[in-house]
Amino acid sequence: MKSAAISPSQLTLNFEPGLVERYGSLRDCIATGVYQRGLKRVAIDLDQAPSNLSVQLSDDPSRRFSVDSLETYIEKTGDKTPVLYLVERFLAPELENKGVKQIEAMKAKLAELMQQLDGVVQ
């Protein structure tokens, strides 16, 4: 997501790609967090062998990273990036569309009010 912060004297643009652009999947997002924190350390937090955790984070369809493991990972590491990834992927487009619709509705209402005001003024 691109964002801009506005202050009275300065405009700062952030061109860092959003989470959905940075990670191809939730599993990629989690794997990045795990390897940044250290596979062995996170494996201990999840009460798993590092090799088992590594396989769960790979493309091996026989063993997957479970939802329970995700909850424990977030609790133990404090890494909320996977949650933010899901919000950006599934809720942001919906909220953005809702915001656009609200703006369009307000514009239509404003145009209607302007016509009413124009009739009163004349």
Side-chain angles (χ1 to χ4, degrees), residues 78-98:
D79 181 10
K80 295 174 183 63
T81 307
V83 176
L84 297 173
Y85 170 87
L86 291 172
V87 167
E88 187 176 310
R89 179 159 181 216
F90 295 106
L91 291 180
E94 187 176 310
L95 294 174
E96 189 174 303
N97 289 340
K98 185 177 181 181

Side-chain angles (χ1 to χ4, degrees), residues 26-94:
L26 177 60
R27 186 178 59 239
D28 290 343
C29 180
I30 296 165
T32 299
V34 167
Y35 288 110
Q36 284 175 344
R37 287 166 178 74
L39 179 66
K40 288 181 181 179
R41 179 189 297 158
V42 175
I44 290 168
D45 287 342
L46 298 177
D47 197 26
Q48 297 185 24
S51 59
N52 187 41
L53 179 56
S54 180
V55 171
Q56 289 177 10
L57 295 171
S58 71
D59 289 331
D60 184 348
S62 65
R63 290 193 278 177
R64 294 287 187 187
F65 194 75
S66 73
V67 173
D68 292 333
S69 292
L70 175 60
E71 285 186 35
T72 304
Y73 169 77
I74 293 168
E75 287 172 11
K76 298 280 185 172
T77 65
D79 181 10
K80 295 174 183 63
T81 307
V83 176
L84 297 173
Y85 170 87
L86 291 172
V87 167
E88 187 176 310
R89 179 159 181 216
F90 295 106
L91 291 180
E94 187 176 310

Side-chain angles (χ1 to χ4, degrees), residues 2-8 10-14:
K2 294 181 174 93
S3 62
I6 300 174
S7 68
Q10 185 176 2
L11 173 67
T12 304
L13 298 175
N14 179 4

